[in-house]
Amino acid sequence: IQAVDYPPLREDYSKAFEAYVGALARTDSSRVEAFIQEVLVAQLVGKDLSEIWDVKNPLRVLSTILHNLGRGEPEPRLLWTCGPKTLLSSFTVGIYSDKEIVGEHVGESVDIAQDMAARDALRNLFKTNVNQFVLPIHTKFPDAKPNPNIQDWTQEKLPNLIVN
């Protein structure tokens, strides 16, 4: 990789990978599919997608998705605390929408618990919990469509979702 800085930045690696895949796609699309499956997808097997996808403001993303689904705003509520003024304090926050819990999590502060509860709600909505999601490696999807972005996301617009 030719880059101004050494070692190359993540963006440089990303652009080089995109360029390689794009060049390969211009010659033979079946080779691109095989390359992506053997190199990229093989690295994702067994990984928790929520660890890879770093959501900057999960509560705002959750609010957008719930709005798209026609549901109420996410409402964080403190469910319980344990030792709030000690070194080992624990706070459990639940995220509610229309009086229904959509996610909950524990954290060492209310802010951390709220952030993690919003991430849990996103995992539940996207069906990407570790125990729910299995990456279909050896399956061909000839009619696959691009996934919608967060602003357009609804459960009805999931053409590529496979739930076992």
Side-chain angles (χ1 to χ4, degrees):
I1 298 175
Q2 292 183 351
V4 175
D5 299 322
Y6 183 82
L9 303 172
R10 284 180 162 242
E11 292 81 20
D12 296 329
Y13 283 113
S14 175
K15 288 178 185 175
F17 183 77
E18 287 178 21
Y20 179 77
V21 170
L24 199 57
R26 294 184 97 174
T27 60
D28 187 7
S29 62
S30 63
R31 287 181 59 199
V32 169
E33 290 175 16
F35 173 76
I36 294 293
Q37 210 163 26
E38 292 170 8
V39 174
L40 186 67
V41 175
Q43 298 295 318
L44 297 176
V45 172
K47 300 256 177 157
D48 182 5
L49 293 182
S50 60
E51 291 177 12
I52 298 169
W53 181 41
D54 183 32
V55 183
K56 298 295 181 210
N57 189 345
L59 198 58
R60 188 180 69 206
V61 172
L62 180 62
S63 176
T64 302
I65 289 172
L66 290 174
H67 175 74
N68 291 350
L69 294 172
R71 296 182 63 177
E73 285 288 314
E75 182 182 334
R77 296 182 193 169
L78 184 62
L79 300 178
W80 58 83
T81 65
C82 181
K85 296 188 185 219
T86 66
L87 212 52
L88 299 173
S89 61
S90 173
F91 301 89
T92 302
V93 171
I95 304 286
Y96 286 81
S97 175
D98 297 332
K99 299 180 183 177
E100 178 185 332
I101 193 161
V102 292
E104 68 177 273
H105 211 278
V106 179
E108 54 267 8
S109 71
V110 175
D111 290 337
I112 291 172
Q114 177 179 317
D115 186 63
M116 296 306 292
R119 291 173 192 275
D120 182 53
L122 289 171
R123 278 193 299 271
N124 292 336
L125 287 171
F126 292 150
K127 298 180 182 2
T128 58
N129 284 335
V130 176
N131 59 349
Q132 289 179 325
F133 185 75
V134 177
L135 197 59
I137 298 175
H138 301 293
T139 308
K140 297 281 184 190
F141 300 102
D143 298 328
K145 299 178 181 119
N147 289 318
N149 63 22
I150 293 297
Q151 279 70 31
D152 300 331
W153 192 92
T154 63
Q155 289 177 330
E156 292 80 33
K157 292 183 180 178
L158 296 178
N160 302 324
L161 182 65
I162 299 170
V163 180
N164 295 334

